[in-house]
Amino acid sequence: MTAKSGVLLAGSCVAAIAAVGSVFELSSGTPQLGTVTTSIILALAVPLTAIFFVAAVQDARANL
């Protein structure tokens, strides 16, 4: 694993945590940042999680 793939994997983890947190905030009924802002964070975090994860795996495989 290279440093680049490690950073991408860390980004994927942070984005996944943000997505899960957003789901919990929205399900509580009154998100602290507001419904619109929390929904935007969720909408950005879900695809970023997948993109960063796939990029990390591709980088790690390319540098075996």
Side-chain angles (χ1 to χ4, degrees), residues 9-25 41-42 45-46 49:
L9 193 57
S12 177
C13 291
V14 169
I17 291 168
V20 170
S22 295
V23 169
F24 278 112
E25 282 289 316
I41 292 170
L42 178 61
V46 170
T49 300

Side-chain angles (χ1 to χ4, degrees), residues 30-56:
T30 54
Q32 290 182 355
L33 297 176
T35 303
V36 174
T37 305
T38 306
S39 297
I40 291 170
I41 292 170
L42 178 61
L44 292 174
V46 170
L48 281 177
T49 300
I51 290 167
F52 285 156
F53 183 77
V54 170

